[in-house]
Amino acid sequence: QVQLVESGGAVVQAGESLKLTCAISGTSYGINTMSWFRQGPREQHEDQRYLVAALEDFGKKTYYGDSVKGRFTISANTTKNEVYLNMARLTPDDTGVYRCYVRKWYSDYWGQGTQVTVSE
């Protein structure tokens, strides 16, 4: 089993930066995808999530959503079993619950999320 715990969410003003951390319990062996999703006011339905950033194919590929390119950076520390999302130049549109996701072999795991609120 894999458990994910996110941290680092906060209330910040537009233009500020935040760093989110996703702590992964258990071994990272077999994890081929690590991602951050956002669920916020722009995602109107409960099952809608916006893929913010991802490390795919065992870290060989990186993906960023169009709205965060050039501002956000995803990275991982396999020794610490942690995934990070560095967010810069935040805007109110970045507001939402940020959830960590990993795919280990053929199973999907989600964290509960951490709230990020960006005010004007």
Side-chain angles (χ1 to χ4, degrees):
Q1 274 289 2
V2 174
Q3 290 187 327
L4 310 177
V5 178
E6 302 95 334
S7 62
V11 179
V12 297
Q13 291 188 328
E16 294 185 340
S17 300
L18 272 180
K19 180 180 180 179
L20 305 183
T21 299
C22 173
I24 305 171
S25 68
T27 178
S28 61
Y29 180 73
I31 292 177
N32 52 68
T33 301
M34 295 177 282
S35 305
W36 286 95
F37 283 80
R38 182 187 71 222
Q39 192 161 8
R42 300 181 69 182
E43 288 74 49
Q44 298 181 359
H45 298 288
E46 185 176 330
D47 60 349
Q48 284 185 331
R49 302 183 186 98
Y50 178 75
L51 176 56
V52 176
L55 287 170
E56 301 170 338
D57 195 11
F58 299 96
K60 297 176 187 176
K61 298 178 183 179
T62 305
Y63 169 87
Y64 292 98
D66 286 342
S67 69
V68 307
K69 284 179 182 176
R71 299 188 298 122
F72 290 13
T73 304
I74 186 171
S75 60
N77 184 322
T78 54
T79 301
K80 292 185 176 181
N81 276 0
E82 293 181 341
V83 185
Y84 311 105
L85 184 67
N86 278 285
M87 306 185 293
R89 301 192 301 280
L90 286 160
T91 74
D93 285 344
D94 296 318
T95 293
V97 176
Y98 284 72
R99 298 183 68 186
C100 181
Y101 160 88
V102 301
R103 185 166 179 81
K104 184 172 183 176
W105 299 123
Y106 301 106
S107 297
D108 301 321
Y109 300 91
W110 290 90
Q112 290 299 309
T114 185
Q115 176 71 43
V116 173
T117 302
V118 184
S119 60
E120 293 282 0

